[in-house]
């Protein structure tokens, strides 16, 4: 009888605790949820609504009414498809080049320099060091270095890599160069994080099992660093696809190299065609989401230990 | 396609004058070692003695500073690890975490381009009774299972020489015994040469045909397990491989049969064949289980050495045997293991006892007594029994560790 009387209380106690714990967690989450709702969800809804707006009848430039004008999307795709393609093309090229540059760098810092922890930290600081200067200033500095009168351009012309009237600034190569430069640290750090954890005993096991250095790299090192490759390429590709600084004519680009970001900027700030700018932004977001989803699925990161 | 064939049988291993220096210290100093084909060879020593470095040199994971390494008569000193006909079972197993068990085992076969790697990998997994987990990832297996996968991954390649780097270190005692038996069976079945590195003397003695005891980058003694145990040549071997009671004395006469040694005024005989020293000071030893405990002074017998009286400092009962620590003036603290033929200990702490052992059980060491500081025992008769006992127990515990 006594036991029966106690039973519900003891059984109920942990449950009540969980509920209270759940309520505390919820309470602590309120600022985060409020922040996200206010600064992320609301603008997103506003952006979607804006993208369907129609010009006000007899209104001024920049005056729009809420509507469901899906033709906005067809219009911007029709008008800006070269910029859209260029965005993803440049971002892809920059990602691949950044990966080729960053992988050996990250391997050197994370694996080769393992024994010298001081040198390792120093090298990591050097990778991050450019962040201490505004990236606008750094990109402008590159514009100076690569300008038409610079010794570099003269040298390139002298060896006929550039024709007599050709210059580097304003070319797609310059835009890709700028993207690579700006995003190499974003590629290097995640790669470093995954290579730093690489167990060198596995490499020894590889060589013990008749794999030469290259085969060991291909069959052991590379598959084990896939999580780093995936996060590095995402951290590079996503912002690079939306970048509008490097491609802008004020920095390393020209009107011929303008990317999706530049089209959004022009529509929003210059043409005051807010629906078009909004529609372009949503296209960019949707395309990136789909590409990333396919990419993450294909690379099978969820299966990795 | 097959770039390399399976080894038909184990190959012999020869190390000639091998040295390995790391910045600041010499790990291996002028090592000469021959391991006959098809044998199970154990390299035994405390951590830091250079045994793992020796193994890594043979595997090609380290390069020798000097000397040469021959496998099956072929000089492989300059060959890289992946070119050598050896495989290693690593202490950490080093299984590839991103591959299935099957792919791990097939890895070496694929690299060498041997036909039908999947079927052969399944066969190797059957040998270690793990074929049913072939599609799992290593992280999903228990420690013992991972160890067996590591073994299968090495054995499947039929290397001329299989290197085992303390592969049983992480297993619990029961699994360890089971794996020891399995390893021995596999070695017999496939006829490979095994080089097993371990710090566990019991493991080395139960598994290997030949044991080499290594200390400070050198091999102290090499031989069959019984030989090493019954006739250790140095104090290090005598105390590392099991326990020994060591006494220092002066040789008084060396006959054809026995060498007579004066230890603290008592004449102790050691068979001439079991000591190499013929004059001067010498260290003699006897294993604790060879000693007999008497409660009265034993009668004189020329085939038996006897010492005493001494005082029992400690008695510890451990089931099959009881170990007694006995303080004998001039001989220090002597350890005696006695089988429990009767129920419980026969004497208690503080009892006066005599010890004896048959002459043929004693052995003389090659060491110079002056080099063995642990023998400079002060027969400190003024210390109380309790103090002596405390010190002796501490020393005995130290020796066991």
């Amino acid at each position: 009888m006594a036991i029966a009387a106690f039973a519900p209380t003891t059984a109920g106690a942990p449950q009540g605790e969980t509920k209270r714990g759940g309520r505390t967690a919820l309470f602590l989450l309120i600022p985060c949820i409020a922040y996200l709702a206010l600064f992320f969800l609301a603008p997103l809804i506003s952006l979607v609504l804006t993208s369907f707006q129609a010009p006000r009848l007899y209104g001024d430039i920049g005056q729009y009414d809420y509507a469901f004008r899906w033709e906005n999307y067809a219009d911007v795709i029709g008008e800006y498809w070269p910029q859209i393609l260029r965005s993803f093309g440049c971002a892809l090229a920059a990602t691949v080049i950044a990966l080729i540059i960053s992988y050996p760098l990250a391997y050197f810092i994370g694996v080769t320099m393992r024994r010298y922890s001081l040198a390792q930290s120093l090298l990591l600081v050097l990778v991050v060091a450019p962040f201490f200067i505004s990236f606008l200033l750094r990109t402008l500095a590159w514009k100076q270095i690569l300008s038409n009168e610079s010794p570099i351009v003269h040298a390139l012309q002298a060896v006929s890599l550039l024709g007599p009237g050709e210059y580097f600034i304003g070319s797609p190569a310059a835009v890709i160069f700028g993207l690579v430069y700006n995003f190499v640290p974003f590629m290097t750090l995640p790669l470093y994080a995954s290579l730093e954890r690489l167990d060198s005993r596995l490499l020894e096991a590889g060589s013990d099992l008749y794999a030469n250095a290259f085969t060991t790299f291909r069959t052991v090192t590379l598959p084990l660093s896939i999580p780093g490759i995936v996060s590095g390429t995402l951290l590079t590709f996503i912002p690079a696809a939306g970048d509008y600084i490097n491609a802008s004519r004020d920095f390393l680009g020209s009107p011929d190299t303008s990317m999706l970001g530049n089209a959004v900027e022009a529509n929003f700030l210059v043409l005051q065609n807010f629906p078009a700018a909004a529609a372009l932004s949503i296209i960019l977001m949707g395309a990136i989401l789909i590409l990333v989803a396919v990419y993450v699925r294909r690379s099978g990161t969820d299966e990795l230990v | 396609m097959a770039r390399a064939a399976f080894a038909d049988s184990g190959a012999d291993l020869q190390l000639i004058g091998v040295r390995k220096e790391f910045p600041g210290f010499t790990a291996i100093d002028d090592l000469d070692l021959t391991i006959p084909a098809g044998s199970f060879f154990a390299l035994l020593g405390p951590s830091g003695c250079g045994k793992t470095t020796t193994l890594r040199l043979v595997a090609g994971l380290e390069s020798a500073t000097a000397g040469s390494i021959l496998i099956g008569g072929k000089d492989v000193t300059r060959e890289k690890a992946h070119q050598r006909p050896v495989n290693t079972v690593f202490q950490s197993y080093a299984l590839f975490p991103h591959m299935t068990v099957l792919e791990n085992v097939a890895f070496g076969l694929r690299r060498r381009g041997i036909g039908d790697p999947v079927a052969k990998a399944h066969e190797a997994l059957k040998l270690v009774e793990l074929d049913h987990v072939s599609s799992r990832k290593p992280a999903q297996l228990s420690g013992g299972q991972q160890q067996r996968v590591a073994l299968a991954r090495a054995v499947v390649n039929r290397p001329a020489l299989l290197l085992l780097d303390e592969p049983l270190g992480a297993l619990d005692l029961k699994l360890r015994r089971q794996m020891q038996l399995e390893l021995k069976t596999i070695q017999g079945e496939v006829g490979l040469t095994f080089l097993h590195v371990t710090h566990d003397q019991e493991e080395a003695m139960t598994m290997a045909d030949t044991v080499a005891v290594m200390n400070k980058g050198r091999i102290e003694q090499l031989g069959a397990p019984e030989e090493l145990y019954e006739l250790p040549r140095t104090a290090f071997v005598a105390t590392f491989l099991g326990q020994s009671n060591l006494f220092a004395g002066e040789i008084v006469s060396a006959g054809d049969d026995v060498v007579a040694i004066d230890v603290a005024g008592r004449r102790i005989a050691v068979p001439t064949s079991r000591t190499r020293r013929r004059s001067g000071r010498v260290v003699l030893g006897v294993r604790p289980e060879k000693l007999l405990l008497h409660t009265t002074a034993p009668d004189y017998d020329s085939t038996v050495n006897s010492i005493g009286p001494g005082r029992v400092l400690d008695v510890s009962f451990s089931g099959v045997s009881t170990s007694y620590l006995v303080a004998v003036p001039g001989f220090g603290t002597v350890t005696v293991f006695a089988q429990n033929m009767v129920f419980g200990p026969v004497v208690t702490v503080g009892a006066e006892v005599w010890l004896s052992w048959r002459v043929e059980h004693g052995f003389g060491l090659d060491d110079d007594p002056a080099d063995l500081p642990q023998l400079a025992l002060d027969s400190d008769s003024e210390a109380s029994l309790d103090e002596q006992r405390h010190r002796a127990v501490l020393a005995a515990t130290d020796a066991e560790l």
Side-chain angles (χ1 to χ4, degrees):
Chain A
M1 184 63 209
I3 294 167
F6 274 104
T9 339
T10 39
Q15 230 177 357
E17 221 159 89
T18 335
K19 258 187 200 161
R20 216 174 307 133
R23 232 174 285 149
T24 314
L26 214 63
F27 181 74
L28 288 172
L29 275 174
I30 286 176
C32 166
I33 292 169
Y35 183 91
L36 281 177
L38 195 65
F39 295 107
F40 181 76
L41 200 62
L44 186 69
I45 293 166
S46 159
L47 188 72
V48 173
L49 292 177
T50 310
S51 71
F52 289 111
Q53 280 179 342
R56 182 171 295 170
L57 216 53
Y58 314 117
D60 277 337
I61 290 173
Q63 288 189 312
Y64 295 92
D65 285 322
Y66 286 108
F68 185 68
R69 194 171 182 278
W70 59 268
E71 292 93 333
N72 286 345
Y73 284 85
D75 290 350
V76 292
I77 289 173
E79 194 178 343
Y80 293 110
W81 65 266
Q83 277 86 342
I84 296 172
L85 285 185
R86 206 179 286 134
S87 282
F88 290 111
C90 284
L92 186 68
T95 306
V96 170
I97 296 169
L99 180 63
I100 292 168
I101 293 173
S102 296
Y103 201 99
L105 179 64
Y107 189 92
F108 178 74
I109 302 174
V111 181
T112 317
M113 299 304 284
R114 219 171 251 185
R115 288 184 193 177
Y116 317 97
S117 60
L118 187 70
Q120 201 178 27
S121 323
L122 204 69
L123 285 167
L124 275 180
V125 168
L126 286 180
V127 169
V128 187
F131 289 135
F132 292 119
I133 303 168
S134 155
F135 111 93
L136 287 179
L137 284 180
R138 282 182 281 126
T139 314
L140 273 177
W142 275 114
K143 189 182 180 175
Q144 292 287 315
I145 296 167
L146 302 170
S147 67
N148 297 351
E149 294 78 33
S150 73
I152 293 173
V153 170
H154 287 312
L156 287 174
Q157 285 171 338
V159 296
S160 299
L161 275 171
L162 284 173
E166 287 177 349
Y167 298 107
F168 191 64
I169 296 289
S171 67
V175 175
I176 293 171
F177 174 88
L179 289 173
V180 169
Y181 165 75
N182 279 310
F183 290 108
V184 153
F186 292 99
M187 183 68 93
T188 307
L189 292 179
L191 279 175
Y192 163 79
S194 81
L195 285 171
E196 197 255 342
R197 272 181 286 133
L198 181 73
D199 188 346
S200 58
R201 291 174 297 189
L202 295 178
L203 307 184
E204 287 184 347
S207 67
D208 184 66
L209 293 163
Y210 315 105
N212 58 30
F214 174 73
T215 315
T216 306
F217 175 78
R218 185 173 59 80
T219 52
V220 181
T221 311
L222 197 61
L224 286 175
S225 58
I226 290 234
I229 295 176
V230 169
S231 47
T233 46
L234 288 181
L235 279 177
T236 304
F237 182 81
I238 296 172
D243 181 85
Y244 69 98
I245 299 295
N246 290 287
S248 130
R249 71 173 83 185
D250 298 328
F251 289 87
L252 303 174
S254 68
D256 296 337
T257 64
S258 72
M259 303 200 339
L260 216 158
N262 305 99
V264 174
E265 183 202 15
N267 271 298
F268 197 85
L269 296 177
V270 183
L271 305 173
Q272 297 196 3
N273 188 350
F274 307 127
L280 276 172
S281 302
I282 287 173
I283 289 170
L284 177 67
M285 199 167 68
I288 287 176
L289 276 178
I290 292 167
L291 285 174
V292 167
V294 171
Y295 176 62
V296 172
R297 254 284 173 71
R298 291 288 303 270
S299 57
T301 33
D302 39 73
E303 265 199 36
L304 280 161
V305 185
Chain B
M1 181 66 196
R3 275 170 279 147
F6 278 149
D8 299 328
S9 61
D12 61 333
L13 169 72
Q14 256 183 296
L15 302 183
I16 302 164
V18 171
R19 270 175 77 77
K20 175 66 187 175
E21 283 168 22
F22 288 110
F25 74 104
T26 305
I28 294 171
D29 194 7
D30 197 26
L31 181 68
D32 288 300
L33 181 64
T34 303
I35 298 177
S39 65
F40 197 130
F41 192 95
L43 211 49
L44 176 69
S47 50
C49 72
K51 57 190 195 301
T52 296
T53 307
T54 307
L55 183 115
R56 290 172 60 82
L57 284 170
V58 175
L61 300 171
E62 303 278 358
S63 54
T65 313
S68 47
I69 299 165
L70 279 74
I71 296 171
K74 185 169 167 271
D75 191 339
V76 297
T77 319
R78 301 273 154 259
E79 283 189 5
K80 293 234 169 73
H82 67 93
Q83 296 163 321
R84 298 191 185 186
V86 298
N87 286 111
T88 311
V89 181
F90 292 91
Q91 187 172 17
S92 63
Y93 314 144
L95 299 176
F96 303 122
H98 57 296
M99 295 180 195
T100 61
V101 166
L102 185 73
E103 280 308 308
N104 262 287
V105 177
F107 189 90
L109 299 172
R110 289 196 199 280
R111 299 288 86 75
R112 291 206 298 172
I114 282 167
D116 212 358
V118 172
K120 289 196 172 76
H122 276 299
E123 248 171 67
L125 282 170
K126 278 189 193 116
L127 189 69
V128 295
E129 290 167 17
L130 279 179
D131 202 29
H132 60 287
V133 297
S134 64
S135 57
R136 290 200 207 156
K137 292 276 171 73
Q140 293 166 285
L141 305 183
S142 71
Q145 288 174 322
Q146 290 187 20
Q147 198 276 325
R148 275 140 72 193
V149 174
L151 180 64
R153 185 175 73 169
V155 170
V156 72
N157 301 298
R158 292 293 158 99
L161 179 61
L162 186 75
L163 308 174
L164 301 131
D165 184 8
E166 306 216 18
L168 311 178
L171 307 183
D172 60 58
L173 194 68
K174 200 176 155 206
L175 202 56
R176 214 169 153 131
R177 292 275 169 274
Q178 194 186 328
M179 283 310 302
Q180 286 176 359
L181 283 175
E182 276 184 49
L183 266 179
K184 192 84 186 122
T185 315
I186 288 169
Q187 196 251 346
E189 273 172 24
V190 297
L192 307 176
T193 310
F194 276 35
L195 172 54
H196 185 160
V197 158
T198 180
H199 67 269
D200 181 339
Q201 39 123 343
E202 210 175 320
E203 189 172 297
M205 285 200 283
T206 47
M207 294 172 79
D209 317 324
T210 313
V211 176
V213 180
M214 217 174 162
N215 185 30
K216 292 178 185 156
R218 291 175 158 279
I219 287 182
E220 290 256 342
Q221 195 177 345
L222 183 154
E226 312 81 57
E227 191 188 318
L228 282 188
Y229 186 79
E230 299 300 351
L231 190 53
R233 287 290 179 203
T234 65
F236 178 81
V237 177
T239 51
F240 187 76
L241 213 63
Q243 288 187 44
S244 294
N245 294 303
L246 302 180
F247 321 114
E250 185 92 31
I251 295 178
V252 286
S253 72
D256 288 342
D257 298 332
V258 294
V259 173
I261 301 159
D262 173 71
V263 183
R266 222 169 241 279
R267 185 182 173 279
I268 306 289
V270 170
T272 309
S273 57
R274 288 169 67 84
T275 179
R276 285 193 224 168
R277 286 187 174 245
R278 293 286 175 271
S279 63
R281 286 183 67 74
V282 69
V283 179
L284 65 109
V286 63
R287 295 288 186 184
E289 72 277 9
K290 304 286 198 293
L291 290 172
L292 287 176
L293 208 61
H294 308 272
T295 46
T296 52
D299 297 331
Y300 175 77
D301 182 345
S302 67
T303 63
V304 170
N305 291 312
S306 63
I307 59 173
R311 204 162 281 283
V312 176
L313 295 179
D314 188 62
V315 179
S316 58
F317 176 76
S318 69
V320 285
S321 66
T322 302
S323 93
Y324 302 91
L325 292 179
V326 182
V328 181
F331 288 81
T333 307
V334 182
T335 309
V336 181
F337 294 155
Q339 269 205 17
N340 287 325
M341 308 287 272
V342 292
F343 296 119
V346 288
V347 290
T348 52
V349 171
E352 195 178 51
V353 292
W354 285 261
L355 304 173
S356 72
W357 69 92
R358 298 190 65 77
V359 168
E360 66 261 31
H361 286 152
F363 50 82
L365 300 179
D366 295 352
D367 299 282
D368 188 340
D371 297 340
L372 300 169
Q374 70 262 38
L375 286 175
L377 287 164
D378 48 319
S379 40
D380 198 353
S381 49
E382 272 144 63
S384 73
L385 188 66
D386 263 359
E387 264 173 66
Q388 282 190 51
R389 176 186 166 181
H390 182 68
R391 234 178 286 157
V393 171
L394 279 184
T397 325
D398 245 21
E400 265 170 57
L401 294 175

